[in-house]
Amino acid sequence: GGMITVQSSVGSGTQFDVYLPTIKPDQLKAVPVNRTETVSQGNERILLVDDDQSVVFSVELMLRQLGYTVTSQSDPNQALELFRSTPDQFDLVITDQAMPQLSGLALAEQIANIRPRLPIILCTGYDPTSSYGADENDQIADYISEVAIKPLERHELSAAIRHVFHETMRIKEPCNGQHIDH
């Protein structure tokens, strides 16, 4: 019901013509849009680390709109120094994996040495089956709470954050009047 033509000449360029069939208004059908994506909000304090300024800007904006207090760093070494100076000022760290000078996994390990039970989400734009965050036995490092795959969608990131906090609270729930802290 339609067609595409192509005309090309060396030195002049290429022209594509796209012909679409005419549709009458009575032939149009409404396509339902799925708007049931749940977006959880919070009020925790997050340290966001990514060397890409555009990612920092967009993710920080997204997190602030979800109610979080966000401190951003585009240099992982500066982020580590900030964390060392104020380790109790953060409830969660979200870090990119592929950064110059200090990878997200190396940053997470150093942060975990300072605050072992702090939740850390490692983000990667690579294949989720890759070994980022995993050791030689393909086990995710104990200090990585979650691995998030870029691009970070709002509903997926909010779900990962709430999952991490839910798991953290589950581990710290009192049992027979005692506080369990693994």
Side-chain angles (χ1 to χ4, degrees):
M3 78 173 163
I4 299 173
T5 63
V6 179
Q7 295 176 355
S8 182
S9 54
V10 177
S12 297
T14 305
Q15 177 179 329
F16 290 85
D17 292 306
V18 179
Y19 299 92
L20 301 174
T22 303
I23 297 178
K24 297 177 185 168
D26 62 336
Q27 293 175 310
L28 295 175
K29 294 183 181 168
V31 176
V33 177
N34 183 0
R35 298 274 184 210
T36 60
E37 295 173 346
T38 303
V39 178
S40 301
Q41 295 190 330
N43 59 2
E44 290 86 1
R45 302 162 300 170
I46 298 174
L47 174 58
L48 172 65
V49 187
D50 196 305
D51 62 310
D52 185 331
Q53 287 289 345
S54 62
V55 171
V56 168
F57 176 79
S58 63
V59 174
E60 180 176 347
L61 179 63
M62 184 186 331
L63 292 170
R64 288 186 189 282
Q65 289 172 343
L66 291 171
Y68 298 103
T69 301
V70 183
T71 302
S72 299
Q73 287 288 324
S74 58
D75 181 312
N77 289 311
Q78 289 179 359
L80 183 57
E81 288 308 310
L82 173 65
F83 187 83
R84 281 187 178 131
S85 68
T86 58
D88 294 326
Q89 296 302 308
F90 304 103
D91 302 308
L92 170 69
V93 173
I94 299 175
T95 182
D96 184 32
Q97 165 56 17
M99 295 185 289
Q101 302 158 0
L102 187 65
S103 72
L105 192 57
L107 174 64
E109 183 177 17
Q110 291 191 42
I111 286 172
N113 288 334
I114 299 166
R115 274 192 60 200
R117 291 179 251 324
L118 180 70
I120 300 173
I121 297 176
L122 182 70
C123 302
T124 179
Y126 300 102
D127 184 345
T129 61
S130 70
S131 62
Y132 291 106
D135 63 15
E136 62 278 355
N137 298 320
D138 283 337
Q139 297 295 314
I140 299 294
D142 289 342
Y143 48 86
I144 300 297
S145 305
E146 186 94 17
V147 176
I149 306 303
K150 290 180 175 182
L152 299 171
E153 298 289 332
R154 181 180 168 108
H155 68 282
E156 293 169 338
L157 183 58
S158 72
I161 292 169
R162 295 321 317 157
H163 177 258
V164 164
F165 283 130
H166 175 75
E167 287 300 308
T168 301
M169 294 308 297
R170 187 181 64 75
I171 291 171
K172 293 183 177 184
E173 286 176 353
C175 180
N176 298 330
Q178 295 180 338
H179 185 75
I180 299 173
D181 206 2
H182 292 94

mmCIF file of all heavy atoms in Angstrom, residues 40-41 44 68 92 119-121 144-147 155-171:
data_model
loop_
_atom_site.group_PDB
_atom_site.id
_atom_site.type_symbol
_atom_site.label_atom_id
_atom_site.label_comp_id
_atom_site.label_asym_id
_atom_site.label_seq_id
_atom_site.Cartn_x
_atom_site.Cartn_y
_atom_site.Cartn_z
ATOM 1 N N SER A 40 8.061 4.506 42.338
ATOM 2 C CA SER A 40 8.129 4.674 43.788
ATOM 3 C C SER A 40 8.967 5.894 44.115
ATOM 4 O O SER A 40 9.925 6.206 43.419
ATOM 5 C CB SER A 40 8.745 3.436 44.434
ATOM 6 O OG SER A 40 7.976 2.304 44.135
ATOM 7 N N GLN A 41 8.579 6.548 45.186
ATOM 8 C CA GLN A 41 9.321 7.715 45.623
ATOM 9 C C GLN A 41 9.966 7.453 46.966
ATOM 10 O O GLN A 41 9.637 6.485 47.641
ATOM 11 C CB GLN A 41 8.398 8.931 45.692
ATOM 12 C CG GLN A 41 7.864 9.322 44.323
ATOM 13 C CD GLN A 41 7.153 10.644 44.348
ATOM 14 O OE1 GLN A 41 6.565 11.035 45.335
ATOM 15 N NE2 GLN A 41 7.209 11.346 43.229
ATOM 16 N N GLU A 44 15.416 9.408 50.802
ATOM 17 C CA GLU A 44 16.768 9.095 51.232
ATOM 18 C C GLU A 44 17.796 9.986 50.542
ATOM 19 O O GLU A 44 17.500 10.677 49.590
ATOM 20 C CB GLU A 44 17.077 7.611 50.955
ATOM 21 C CG GLU A 44 16.331 6.648 51.845
ATOM 22 C CD GLU A 44 14.929 6.291 51.332
ATOM 23 O OE1 GLU A 44 14.526 6.778 50.254
ATOM 24 O OE2 GLU A 44 14.241 5.523 52.005
ATOM 25 N N TYR A 68 14.258 12.281 46.325
ATOM 26 C CA TYR A 68 15.541 11.997 46.961
ATOM 27 C C TYR A 68 16.402 13.256 47.040
ATOM 28 O O TYR A 68 16.297 14.156 46.218
ATOM 29 C CB TYR A 68 16.301 10.920 46.180
ATOM 30 C CG TYR A 68 15.567 9.604 46.137
ATOM 31 C CD1 TYR A 68 14.893 9.202 44.995
ATOM 32 C CD2 TYR A 68 15.522 8.775 47.255
ATOM 33 C CE1 TYR A 68 14.211 8.000 44.953
ATOM 34 C CE2 TYR A 68 14.828 7.576 47.221
ATOM 35 C CZ TYR A 68 14.172 7.203 46.070
ATOM 36 O OH TYR A 68 13.480 6.018 46.040
ATOM 37 N N LEU A 92 22.564 5.687 50.204
ATOM 38 C CA LEU A 92 22.721 4.854 49.018
ATOM 39 C C LEU A 92 23.763 5.493 48.102
ATOM 40 O O LEU A 92 23.849 6.713 48.028
ATOM 41 C CB LEU A 92 21.382 4.760 48.260
ATOM 42 C CG LEU A 92 21.375 4.134 46.877
ATOM 43 C CD1 LEU A 92 21.661 2.644 46.934
ATOM 44 C CD2 LEU A 92 20.023 4.369 46.193
ATOM 45 N N PRO A 119 23.993 0.344 50.967
ATOM 46 C CA PRO A 119 23.563 -0.170 49.664
ATOM 47 C C PRO A 119 24.258 0.574 48.516
ATOM 48 O O PRO A 119 24.392 1.798 48.552
ATOM 49 C CB PRO A 119 22.060 0.099 49.629
ATOM 50 C CG PRO A 119 21.671 0.495 51.003
ATOM 51 C CD PRO A 119 22.892 0.940 51.719
ATOM 52 N N ILE A 120 24.681 -0.206 47.510
ATOM 53 C CA ILE A 120 25.354 0.354 46.339
ATOM 54 C C ILE A 120 24.733 -0.252 45.091
ATOM 55 O O ILE A 120 24.638 -1.477 44.970
ATOM 56 C CB ILE A 120 26.871 0.069 46.364
ATOM 57 C CG1 ILE A 120 27.508 0.680 47.618
ATOM 58 C CG2 ILE A 120 27.536 0.598 45.094
ATOM 59 C CD1 ILE A 120 28.969 0.306 47.822
ATOM 60 N N ILE A 121 24.303 0.619 44.176
ATOM 61 C CA ILE A 121 23.793 0.186 42.880
ATOM 62 C C ILE A 121 24.862 0.504 41.850
ATOM 63 O O ILE A 121 25.288 1.648 41.710
ATOM 64 C CB ILE A 121 22.463 0.885 42.522
ATOM 65 C CG1 ILE A 121 21.377 0.509 43.527
ATOM 66 C CG2 ILE A 121 22.041 0.530 41.095
ATOM 67 C CD1 ILE A 121 20.050 1.218 43.310
ATOM 68 N N ILE A 144 27.865 -5.052 46.327
ATOM 69 C CA ILE A 144 26.975 -4.543 45.280
ATOM 70 C C ILE A 144 25.561 -5.040 45.586
ATOM 71 O O ILE A 144 25.312 -6.239 45.600
ATOM 72 C CB ILE A 144 27.407 -5.013 43.873
ATOM 73 C CG1 ILE A 144 28.816 -4.528 43.538
ATOM 74 C CG2 ILE A 144 26.402 -4.553 42.815
ATOM 75 C CD1 ILE A 144 28.970 -3.016 43.480
ATOM 76 N N SER A 145 24.654 -4.111 45.834
ATOM 77 C CA SER A 145 23.274 -4.470 46.170
ATOM 78 C C SER A 145 22.453 -4.784 44.937
ATOM 79 O O SER A 145 21.537 -5.602 44.974
ATOM 80 C CB SER A 145 22.604 -3.328 46.927
ATOM 81 O OG SER A 145 23.363 -2.977 48.055
ATOM 82 N N GLU A 146 22.759 -4.105 43.830
ATOM 83 C CA GLU A 146 21.960 -4.245 42.614
ATOM 84 C C GLU A 146 22.816 -3.797 41.429
ATOM 85 O O GLU A 146 23.653 -2.912 41.564
ATOM 86 C CB GLU A 146 20.724 -3.344 42.735
ATOM 87 C CG GLU A 146 19.723 -3.457 41.649
ATOM 88 C CD GLU A 146 18.603 -4.449 41.961
ATOM 89 O OE1 GLU A 146 18.409 -4.824 43.119
ATOM 90 O OE2 GLU A 146 17.944 -4.847 40.997
ATOM 91 N N VAL A 147 22.594 -4.410 40.275
ATOM 92 C CA VAL A 147 23.227 -3.965 39.036
ATOM 93 C C VAL A 147 22.109 -3.420 38.145
ATOM 94 O O VAL A 147 21.123 -4.108 37.900
ATOM 95 C CB VAL A 147 23.974 -5.116 38.324
ATOM 96 C CG1 VAL A 147 24.529 -4.646 36.986
ATOM 97 C CG2 VAL A 147 25.095 -5.660 39.207
ATOM 98 N N HIS A 155 11.085 4.384 35.933
ATOM 99 C CA HIS A 155 10.390 3.366 36.724
ATOM 100 C C HIS A 155 11.321 2.220 37.132
ATOM 101 O O HIS A 155 11.204 1.675 38.221
ATOM 102 C CB HIS A 155 9.156 2.841 35.985
ATOM 103 C CG HIS A 155 9.467 2.051 34.761
ATOM 104 N ND1 HIS A 155 9.831 2.631 33.571
ATOM 105 C CD2 HIS A 155 9.494 0.709 34.556
ATOM 106 C CE1 HIS A 155 10.061 1.686 32.680
ATOM 107 N NE2 HIS A 155 9.872 0.513 33.241
ATOM 108 N N GLU A 156 12.285 1.885 36.279
ATOM 109 C CA GLU A 156 13.225 0.813 36.617
ATOM 110 C C GLU A 156 14.186 1.253 37.720
ATOM 111 O O GLU A 156 14.467 0.483 38.642
ATOM 112 C CB GLU A 156 14.018 0.389 35.381
ATOM 113 C CG GLU A 156 13.169 -0.283 34.332
ATOM 114 C CD GLU A 156 13.873 -0.467 33.006
ATOM 115 O OE1 GLU A 156 14.851 0.251 32.717
ATOM 116 O OE2 GLU A 156 13.427 -1.338 32.243
ATOM 117 N N LEU A 157 14.674 2.481 37.627
ATOM 118 C CA LEU A 157 15.576 2.989 38.652
ATOM 119 C C LEU A 157 14.858 3.120 39.985
ATOM 120 O O LEU A 157 15.387 2.725 41.022
ATOM 121 C CB LEU A 157 16.180 4.324 38.224
ATOM 122 C CG LEU A 157 17.201 4.929 39.189
ATOM 123 C CD1 LEU A 157 18.375 3.975 39.418
ATOM 124 C CD2 LEU A 157 17.703 6.267 38.651
ATOM 125 N N SER A 158 13.642 3.646 39.979
ATOM 126 C CA SER A 158 12.907 3.790 41.241
ATOM 127 C C SER A 158 12.624 2.425 41.859
ATOM 128 O O SER A 158 12.719 2.253 43.070
ATOM 129 C CB SER A 158 11.614 4.590 41.048
ATOM 130 O OG SER A 158 10.648 3.853 40.345
ATOM 131 N N ALA A 159 12.308 1.424 41.030
ATOM 132 C CA ALA A 159 12.056 0.073 41.539
ATOM 133 C C ALA A 159 13.334 -0.528 42.119
ATOM 134 O O ALA A 159 13.295 -1.176 43.184
ATOM 135 C CB ALA A 159 11.505 -0.816 40.428
ATOM 136 N N ALA A 160 14.475 -0.318 41.462
ATOM 137 C CA ALA A 160 15.745 -0.845 41.971
ATOM 138 C C ALA A 160 16.094 -0.213 43.309
ATOM 139 O O ALA A 160 16.522 -0.902 44.243
ATOM 140 C CB ALA A 160 16.860 -0.596 40.956
ATOM 141 N N ILE A 161 15.891 1.088 43.432
ATOM 142 C CA ILE A 161 16.185 1.785 44.685
ATOM 143 C C ILE A 161 15.298 1.260 45.805
ATOM 144 O O ILE A 161 15.763 0.944 46.894
ATOM 145 C CB ILE A 161 16.021 3.314 44.519
ATOM 146 C CG1 ILE A 161 17.110 3.855 43.597
ATOM 147 C CG2 ILE A 161 16.044 4.023 45.872
ATOM 148 C CD1 ILE A 161 16.894 5.295 43.157
ATOM 149 N N ARG A 162 14.001 1.162 45.547
ATOM 150 C CA ARG A 162 13.086 0.685 46.596
ATOM 151 C C ARG A 162 13.406 -0.765 46.963
ATOM 152 O O ARG A 162 13.347 -1.145 48.118
ATOM 153 C CB ARG A 162 11.622 0.806 46.161
ATOM 154 C CG ARG A 162 11.097 2.210 45.938
ATOM 155 C CD ARG A 162 11.517 3.326 46.882
ATOM 156 N NE ARG A 162 11.530 3.052 48.285
ATOM 157 C CZ ARG A 162 12.268 3.747 49.158
ATOM 158 N NH1 ARG A 162 13.025 4.747 48.761
ATOM 159 N NH2 ARG A 162 12.246 3.463 50.428
ATOM 160 N N HIS A 163 13.777 -1.582 45.966
ATOM 161 C CA HIS A 163 14.146 -2.975 46.242
ATOM 162 C C HIS A 163 15.372 -3.027 47.156
ATOM 163 O O HIS A 163 15.411 -3.789 48.125
ATOM 164 C CB HIS A 163 14.427 -3.715 44.933
ATOM 165 C CG HIS A 163 14.882 -5.119 45.146
ATOM 166 N ND1 HIS A 163 16.185 -5.486 45.049
ATOM 167 C CD2 HIS A 163 14.177 -6.238 45.472
ATOM 168 C CE1 HIS A 163 16.296 -6.783 45.311
ATOM 169 N NE2 HIS A 163 15.094 -7.260 45.555
ATOM 170 N N VAL A 164 16.377 -2.215 46.859
ATOM 171 C CA VAL A 164 17.589 -2.182 47.667
ATOM 172 C C VAL A 164 17.268 -1.755 49.102
ATOM 173 O O VAL A 164 17.735 -2.375 50.061
ATOM 174 C CB VAL A 164 18.626 -1.233 47.026
ATOM 175 C CG1 VAL A 164 19.723 -0.866 47.991
ATOM 176 C CG2 VAL A 164 19.203 -1.858 45.774
ATOM 177 N N PHE A 165 16.448 -0.728 49.251
ATOM 178 C CA PHE A 165 16.106 -0.284 50.601
ATOM 179 C C PHE A 165 15.232 -1.308 51.324
ATOM 180 O O PHE A 165 15.378 -1.514 52.520
ATOM 181 C CB PHE A 165 15.434 1.092 50.577
ATOM 182 C CG PHE A 165 16.408 2.213 50.358
ATOM 183 C CD1 PHE A 165 16.171 3.166 49.385
ATOM 184 C CD2 PHE A 165 17.560 2.323 51.116
ATOM 185 C CE1 PHE A 165 17.069 4.197 49.176
ATOM 186 C CE2 PHE A 165 18.475 3.344 50.911
ATOM 187 C CZ PHE A 165 18.218 4.296 49.940
ATOM 188 N N HIS A 166 14.343 -1.973 50.595
ATOM 189 C CA HIS A 166 13.512 -3.016 51.202
ATOM 190 C C HIS A 166 14.392 -4.159 51.723
ATOM 191 O O HIS A 166 14.205 -4.645 52.831
ATOM 192 C CB HIS A 166 12.486 -3.544 50.201
ATOM 193 C CG HIS A 166 11.692 -4.690 50.717
ATOM 194 N ND1 HIS A 166 10.687 -4.535 51.648
ATOM 195 C CD2 HIS A 166 11.774 -6.025 50.466
ATOM 196 C CE1 HIS A 166 10.187 -5.726 51.941
ATOM 197 N NE2 HIS A 166 10.827 -6.642 51.223
ATOM 198 N N GLU A 167 15.361 -4.572 50.913
ATOM 199 C CA GLU A 167 16.267 -5.650 51.327
ATOM 200 C C GLU A 167 17.114 -5.219 52.516
ATOM 201 O O GLU A 167 17.353 -6.004 53.428
ATOM 202 C CB GLU A 167 17.163 -6.076 50.159
ATOM 203 C CG GLU A 167 16.431 -6.858 49.099
ATOM 204 C CD GLU A 167 15.811 -8.143 49.638
ATOM 205 O OE1 GLU A 167 16.535 -8.943 50.275
ATOM 206 O OE2 GLU A 167 14.598 -8.347 49.430
ATOM 207 N N THR A 168 17.567 -3.965 52.524
ATOM 208 C CA THR A 168 18.362 -3.455 53.636
ATOM 209 C C THR A 168 17.534 -3.468 54.921
ATOM 210 O O THR A 168 18.014 -3.876 55.978
ATOM 211 C CB THR A 168 18.858 -2.022 53.339
ATOM 212 O OG1 THR A 168 19.629 -2.057 52.143
ATOM 213 C CG2 THR A 168 19.695 -1.486 54.481
ATOM 214 N N MET A 169 16.281 -3.039 54.819
ATOM 215 C CA MET A 169 15.413 -3.020 56.006
ATOM 216 C C MET A 169 15.077 -4.437 56.454
ATOM 217 O O MET A 169 14.998 -4.712 57.642
ATOM 218 C CB MET A 169 14.130 -2.235 55.720
ATOM 219 C CG MET A 169 14.373 -0.765 55.488
ATOM 220 S SD MET A 169 15.355 0.028 56.785
ATOM 221 C CE MET A 169 14.280 -0.176 58.184
ATOM 222 N N ARG A 170 14.903 -5.364 55.520
ATOM 223 C CA ARG A 170 14.584 -6.745 55.875
ATOM 224 C C ARG A 170 15.730 -7.356 56.666
ATOM 225 O O ARG A 170 15.515 -8.049 57.645
ATOM 226 C CB ARG A 170 14.330 -7.573 54.604
ATOM 227 C CG ARG A 170 13.835 -8.977 54.886
ATOM 228 C CD ARG A 170 13.626 -9.746 53.600
ATOM 229 N NE ARG A 170 14.849 -9.957 52.845
ATOM 230 C CZ ARG A 170 15.796 -10.845 53.174
ATOM 231 N NH1 ARG A 170 15.662 -11.599 54.235
ATOM 232 N NH2 ARG A 170 16.871 -10.977 52.430
ATOM 233 N N ILE A 171 16.940 -7.068 56.281
ATOM 234 C CA ILE A 171 18.108 -7.604 56.981
ATOM 235 C C ILE A 171 18.222 -7.011 58.376
ATOM 236 O O ILE A 171 18.638 -7.669 59.307
ATOM 237 C CB ILE A 171 19.396 -7.329 56.167
ATOM 238 C CG1 ILE A 171 19.362 -8.182 54.909
ATOM 239 C CG2 ILE A 171 20.642 -7.602 56.969
ATOM 240 C CD1 ILE A 171 20.458 -7.857 53.918
#
